[in-house]
Amino acid sequence: MKKLILLIILNLTIKVVAQDGSDIKYVSISKLDNSYIGKMAHLDFYNRSFGGLELENKDFSDKVVITLENRDIEFLEHRVDNGYNNWFSKQYLESTEFIDGYKIRIVMCKIEQITTEDINVILFLQYTDKNGKLKSEKPYEIKHSFPKKILTEILIKN
């Protein structure tokens, strides 16, 4: 009987000690205020993408068209947040097609300004060739504005 009680206590203790990992704070677009200016973030478009939901081989990741240098480019959200281990560096947007021989990744953005209708950010872009080789180690920076109505939440780096 003592062994059974000890086993139950150990089992409960082990579960209590277990930790998840995350360096992301999820902020609803309705709760976004000026205290987030200057923060590094990822923008979550249209539908909440928590977990990169996938059912029966159907991908529910959102696509968004972003105009860069007068060209409309379609991007796909890449989310690796499963509710247990959620790392800011694993989230990004990636162009669905190669543009001038490169895929474009938006690896993060910096919040510059928040208005009632829009959020202004600096996008940090990386260009990778078909072999995954980076064009430049340092990300390219481009200012951009998004209407809040196409955003569901913001992923803030903790």
Side-chain angles (χ1 to χ4, degrees), residues 25-106:
K25 177 180 178 182
Y26 297 87
V27 179
S28 168
I29 197 67
S30 64
K31 302 237 189 277
L32 196 62
D33 60 31
N34 287 337
S35 69
Y36 294 100
I37 291 176
K39 302 279 186 188
M40 300 311 259
H42 290 291
L43 307 178
D44 195 1
F45 296 90
Y46 302 112
N47 301 297
R48 190 166 188 261
S49 299
F50 184 77
L53 186 60
E54 214 175 292
L55 296 173
E56 296 178 22
N57 295 327
K58 186 169 183 179
D59 187 2
F60 288 98
S61 296
D62 290 318
K63 292 180 181 176
V64 62
V65 175
I66 300 173
T67 304
L68 298 176
E69 299 177 6
N70 298 319
R71 186 173 186 172
D72 289 343
I73 301 171
E74 183 180 64
F75 287 86
L76 180 67
E77 289 181 338
H78 177 84
R79 298 288 181 246
V80 182
D81 42 2
N82 60 15
Y84 302 107
N85 292 294
N86 314 316
W87 304 110
F88 188 83
S89 63
K90 301 288 184 189
Q91 321 306 318
Y92 56 86
L93 298 173
E94 186 171 60
S95 62
T96 56
E97 297 179 12
F98 283 88
I99 311 298
D100 299 328
Y102 292 95
K103 285 268 189 157
I104 304 171
R105 273 194 186 175
I106 300 174

Side-chain angles (χ1 to χ4, degrees), residues 107-122:
V107 295
M108 69 182 134
C109 65
K110 183 177 180 181
I111 301 172
E112 290 280 288
Q113 183 182 25
I114 301 165
T115 68
T116 53
E117 300 294 320
D118 301 307
I119 179 169
N120 300 320
V121 297
I122 296 174

Side-chain angles (χ1 to χ4, degrees), residues 112-138:
E112 290 280 288
Q113 183 182 25
I114 301 165
T115 68
T116 53
E117 300 294 320
D118 301 307
I119 179 169
N120 300 320
V121 297
I122 296 174
L123 299 175
F124 291 85
L125 310 174
Q126 288 182 334
Y127 295 82
T128 56
D129 65 17
K130 64 182 177 182
N131 298 318
K133 185 178 179 196
L134 287 174
K135 182 177 182 179
S136 170
E137 290 295 321
K138 184 179 179 197

